[in-house]
Amino acid sequence: KGGFANENSLLKLLYAGILKAPERWTRPIQNWNLTLSQLAIHFPDRLEKYISL
C-alpha cells in the first residue's frame, strides 16, 4: 500500500484489475464442482434462483 497516494487509489487499481481479468482467463476453474457443492451447502438460498442443483 505504500506506493499509493491513498486507499481509494489502491481500490481503483484493484477494481480495474478485476474488470480486465476475464480477458486473460482462458483456463477452466479447477475443482469447480466441489466448490459449487460447498457453496450450495453453506449458502443454499443464494444459489437456488441462479442455478439448478
Side-chain angles (χ1 to χ4, degrees):
K1 186 178 171 185
F4 297 96
N6 56 33
E7 188 174 324
N8 198 26
S9 61
L10 173 63
L11 291 175
K12 285 180 182 180
L13 182 65
L14 287 173
Y15 179 72
I18 289 170
L19 290 179
K20 196 150 181 71
E23 294 174 11
R24 297 185 309 253
W25 198 327
T26 58
R27 297 186 336 188
I29 301 171
Q30 294 180 347
N31 298 323
W32 177 244
N33 289 334
L34 178 61
T35 304
L36 189 57
S37 65
Q38 291 296 313
L39 288 171
I41 290 169
H42 292 287
F43 306 105
D45 298 336
R46 294 184 183 186
L47 294 176
E48 286 177 353
K49 61 182 174 181
Y50 298 106
I51 58 172
S52 60
L53 299 174

